[in-house]
Amino acid sequence: MESLLHVWWVWLCAALALALIELIAPASIFLGFALGALAMTAVVGLGLITNTSALMALFAGLSLVAWIVLKLVFKSQSSGARIVTRDINEG
């Protein structure tokens, strides 16, 4: 019987589950894992890698890259806090 890690729809289900976890607990880390699992759907679907250890290593690498890209893209978004440099009570 083929391992579940070698079936493309299992990776797709994992990506959807991780995206739902990100909606429930917005920690900005699960979205990187979800994008990594989504990329793994294509890798497994095309049959590029058959070694289970290589699949897991690639998933970790793709998730890390996706997380870094997300951090860079959303870095410019402000939390809404203002830095006050001048006191309004001063003359």
Side-chain angles (χ1 to χ4, degrees), residues 6-68:
H6 297 280
V7 182
W8 67 270
W9 58 265
V10 173
W11 286 103
L12 184 63
C13 291
L16 291 173
L18 287 165
L20 286 175
I21 291 172
E22 180 65 36
L23 289 174
I24 294 169
S28 299
I29 191 166
F30 295 108
L31 190 57
F33 285 119
L35 292 175
L38 189 62
M40 288 301 294
T41 301
V43 170
V44 172
L46 294 173
L48 299 176
I49 298 177
T50 58
N51 186 0
T52 304
S53 299
L55 282 175
M56 296 308 290
L58 183 62
F59 170 64
L62 289 172
S63 297
L64 178 64
V65 168
W67 184 78
I68 290 171

